[in-house]
Amino acid sequence: MRACLQLSRAVVRVRRVAAQVTTESMARNQQSSSLSSTANGDTTTAAILIIGDEILKGHTVDTNSAFLSRALRKLGVSVKRITVIPDVQEVISKEVALLSPQYTHLITSGGIGPTHDDVTFESIAMAFQEELHPHPELKRLLEEFFGVVDKDSATMKLAMVPRSAKLNYGIDAQTGQPLRYPLVSVRNVYIFPGIPSLLERAFNGLEHLFAGSGTTFHTREVFVDADEAEIAPVLTRLQAGWGRKVALGSYPDWLSNYHRVRLVLDSDSQEEVDKARAQLLDELPKGSVVPLVTDPVSIATAEVYTLANSGTPLGEKVSSALKTIETALDQYAVEEVCAGFNGGKDCTALLHLYYAALKRRYPDGKDKLKALYIRIVSPFPEMERFLQDTIKRYDLELFSVEGNIRQALGEVQERWPELRAVLMGTRRSDPYSHTLTPMCPTDPGWPEYMRVNPLLDWTYHDIWSFLRTLYVPYCILYDKGYTSLGSMDNTCRNKSLQMVDGRGVTRYKPAYQLVNDEEERNSRA
């Protein structure tokens, strides 16, 4: 009896608030719906409503809207709005009443659990002026999952849905069998869970609900090594000429070594988007368009050895370096060799060369490439981030030690006694390096190691030509005027790279544009 009274009170409360919230919204939305339908034509549209205080407070990062946007677009659905709102019934109800008539689909995420702040079902009932009721099929499923469910329990809340609710059973993509628990929908509102793994599984099993619009979106990307301000007039003029046939988006990228702007062309016509791309390429500054090499590591062996056999001056340097590395691998087992790596440009080139040689010799090898990192005091945060990215990129086994080089090698000898040879990114122009040979043992009194120096005869410009020819990622500080990196205490931008741009702003050119090799170490205090 008490449960019935509670349910009756809930229904009265729903109706009372709904009457205040939705009467005005529904009238306004009926008018906007017809306008929206005319504007959108035959395109299937969607709005995404992310529900949760935890998103707004920064306790949880929203990944659901990104997943849904990508997935819907593949199905020919154009996402027109994404809104994030708190777990408040009146707010949710008002948004549902506002958005539902305007778009083909409204997808909600979050707020359908058993706790006090899970109020999405109640809110959607309020939006459509419906009452909640215990759905018999949901109740049966809850009993299968949890055993006998008391009608007053928190679990029972999962079965309390709006009266017109429909249950949609998806198909498990892995097994081909129906999913055990359905997705609830009310009219054109699809009510997804907030947990990303559950949402993605449910959506993937129910793609057929959103597919079939007949629309296919075509996207083309162009990567540009130029300032966005420099190409903005071209973009503005082209977009004005294309009108609504093609959409052009411009997105600066501050972390790429090889492009500064990503341009994205979108259209529902392949012919139009291809025509627009060709026009864009023709209008952009000559030489500014660059390729996107997303994974230079996986193609390292093929690219490095192709360069080595190219017959060019750089190719000859690469060939010589590879022979030194291969000689070391002839004399030492893989587990006895590591590459010195501190995140600098020389070590980055060395690491890429060593990786290419190792994979060529042992294409099916499972051993990780070993790298020795001698950590300095006050490292740049950008260098630390690059180090972590490199560990992932090359799947490194990193040996990290501190102190000067002699102390560090002593610690390495104690902790990893199997190591016998260290590949180093030393060049003959480095301090105290003019007498070194490609293979030379450490000096008397030092921990005994074979120093392998594949880059001894490389110049500053050789290093940059190698990295940039093969699109190898390097520390972003080199694009900000630094030419030789140490700690934050002894490193500064190189004055030789300082310039004043057309707007009168003092800037620094990237390291690879340094003209005089002898000025490389001007970055060091």
Side-chain angles (χ1 to χ4, degrees):
M1 184 67 181
R2 186 179 63 183
C4 292
L5 287 173
Q6 289 177 337
L7 182 58
S8 298
R9 289 171 186 157
V11 170
V12 170
R13 181 162 58 93
V14 166
R15 286 176 172 166
R16 183 176 298 154
V17 179
Q20 297 173 357
V21 172
T22 62
T23 301
E24 180 182 345
S25 296
M26 286 294 190
R28 183 173 65 251
N29 291 336
Q30 285 172 1
Q31 180 181 4
S32 64
S33 176
S34 60
L35 294 174
S36 174
S37 299
T38 303
N40 291 326
D42 296 330
T43 302
T44 303
T45 60
I48 299 170
L49 194 57
I50 305 296
I51 300 167
D53 291 342
E54 68 276 15
I55 304 294
L56 294 170
K57 294 176 181 177
H59 297 163
T60 301
V61 176
D62 167 42
T63 60
N64 289 336
S65 58
F67 167 80
L68 288 169
S69 296
R70 289 192 298 267
L72 287 165
R73 187 168 184 80
K74 288 180 180 178
L75 297 174
V77 179
S78 178
V79 175
K80 296 297 186 181
R81 181 179 297 189
I82 299 173
T83 304
V84 183
I85 56 176
D87 297 297
V88 177
Q89 282 193 43
E90 289 75 11
V91 175
I92 300 170
S93 173
K94 187 174 182 179
E95 286 297 319
V96 170
L98 175 68
L99 299 175
S100 174
Q102 295 188 58
Y103 305 102
T104 313
H105 308 296
L106 172 58
I107 295 176
T108 72
S109 164
I112 56 173
T115 61
H116 67 284
D117 58 349
D118 294 312
V119 293
T120 298
F121 285 147
E122 296 96 314
S123 304
I124 292 173
M126 182 185 298
F128 295 125
Q129 302 185 52
E130 294 186 17
E131 62 180 6
L132 292 176
H133 81 118
H135 196 290
E137 189 169 346
L138 290 177
K139 183 178 178 183
R140 178 184 62 78
L141 289 170
L142 290 176
E143 289 176 349
E144 287 183 11
F145 281 109
F146 303 107
V148 177
V149 178
D150 184 88
K151 60 184 179 180
D152 296 321
S153 68
T155 303
M156 189 63 184
K157 187 176 181 181
L158 295 169
M160 300 295 293
V161 296
R163 178 68 67 177
S164 67
K166 178 183 176 183
L167 306 187
N168 306 276
Y169 285 90
I171 301 296
D172 190 318
Q174 294 182 341
T175 66
Q177 300 298 314
L179 295 172
R180 291 185 63 192
Y181 205 82
L183 180 84
V184 176
S185 63
V186 180
R187 304 188 190 186
N188 68 333
V189 183
Y190 297 88
I191 309 163
F192 282 86
I195 299 172
S197 60
L198 297 181
L199 178 142
E200 292 173 18
R201 188 182 184 209
F203 185 92
N204 289 335
L206 290 165
E207 285 185 345
H208 62 277
L209 294 178
F210 309 100
S213 69
T215 301
T216 301
F217 294 108
H218 302 274
T219 300
R220 302 290 182 269
E221 292 183 319
V222 175
F223 296 89
V224 184
D225 186 20
D227 286 337
E228 192 176 34
E230 180 185 350
I231 62 175
V234 172
L235 306 184
T236 301
R237 185 174 69 255
L238 290 177
Q239 182 64 86
W242 297 333
R244 294 189 178 184
K245 293 183 294 185
V246 178
L248 173 60
S250 177
Y251 310 100
D253 190 333
W254 307 109
L255 299 179
S256 172
N257 301 125
Y258 297 100
H259 68 268
R260 283 177 274 174
V261 183
R262 178 172 68 100
L263 302 176
V264 180
L265 297 156
D266 273 313
S267 177
D268 56 8
S269 166
Q270 182 173 338
E271 180 183 356
E272 291 292 344
V273 78
D274 287 337
K275 189 194 309 180
R277 181 180 182 276
Q279 188 178 0
L280 177 63
L281 294 177
D282 188 58
E283 294 280 347
L284 287 169
K286 301 302 180 186
S288 65
V289 177
V290 295
L292 177 68
V293 180
T294 57
D295 186 11
V297 175
S298 66
I299 58 175
T301 298
E303 294 290 307
V304 168
Y305 278 87
T306 297
L307 179 57
N309 296 321
S310 65
T312 63
L314 177 60
E316 292 176 4
K317 295 282 184 75
V318 172
S319 179
S320 177
L322 289 171
K323 288 176 182 176
T324 300
I325 295 171
E326 289 163 354
T327 299
L329 291 174
D330 288 338
Q331 297 182 23
Y332 300 97
V334 175
E335 59 269 18
E336 297 176 321
V337 181
C338 72
F341 184 74
N342 63 5
K345 61 186 181 300
D346 301 323
C347 292
T348 301
L350 172 70
L351 184 65
H352 201 70
L353 285 163
Y354 181 40
Y355 183 92
L358 201 59
K359 291 301 178 182
R360 186 173 191 251
R361 180 170 292 223
Y362 305 108
D364 300 320
K366 302 300 181 185
D367 293 330
K368 291 187 175 184
L369 188 154
K370 294 178 172 62
L372 172 61
Y373 173 49
I374 302 177
R375 194 173 189 276
I376 60 176
V377 178
S378 303
F380 283 93
E382 293 91 340
M383 182 68 84
E384 293 281 273
R385 282 195 296 272
F386 175 68
L387 177 71
Q388 295 305 315
D389 290 341
T390 303
I391 291 171
K392 295 177 183 176
R393 190 175 291 122
Y394 291 89
D395 192 24
L396 300 179
E397 181 181 355
L398 190 74
F399 302 148
S400 181
V401 293
E402 296 184 358
N404 61 42
I405 296 179
R406 181 181 293 192
Q407 293 170 335
L409 290 178
E411 184 179 345
V412 170
Q413 201 167 51
E414 290 180 7
R415 294 172 61 184
W416 301 286
E418 71 277 10
L419 292 177
R420 297 175 57 201
V422 182
L423 278 74
M424 306 182 72
T426 306
R427 288 183 283 120
R428 209 174 293 283
S429 57
D430 291 337
Y432 316 111
S433 301
H434 61 280
T435 61
L436 293 178
T437 58
M439 301 274 290
C440 58
T442 49
D443 296 336
W446 282 58
E448 292 186 8
Y449 285 100
M450 179 60 73
R451 290 176 290 178
V452 183
N453 304 304
L455 305 180
L456 268 185
D457 296 321
W458 286 41
T459 66
Y460 176 86
H461 285 105
D462 289 335
I463 295 293
W464 282 116
S465 293
F466 176 79
L467 293 174
R468 292 189 62 81
T469 295
L470 300 184
Y471 293 91
V472 178
Y474 53 84
C475 181
I476 198 67
L477 289 172
Y478 288 115
D479 289 333
K480 298 181 179 180
Y482 295 89
T483 53
S484 179
L485 294 176
S487 73
M488 294 179 66
D489 299 327
N490 66 5
T491 307
C492 59
R493 288 183 171 90
N494 195 320
K495 293 283 188 182
S496 300
L497 292 173
Q498 186 173 311
M499 59 171 287
V500 178
D501 67 16
R503 293 171 291 175
V505 178
T506 299
R507 300 172 58 187
Y508 287 83
K509 293 181 286 188
Y512 61 86
Q513 292 186 9
L514 183 69
V515 176
N516 187 352
D517 283 20
E518 295 180 358
E519 297 176 335
E520 171 189 357
R521 297 189 68 82
N522 289 356
S523 274
R524 298 294 188 97

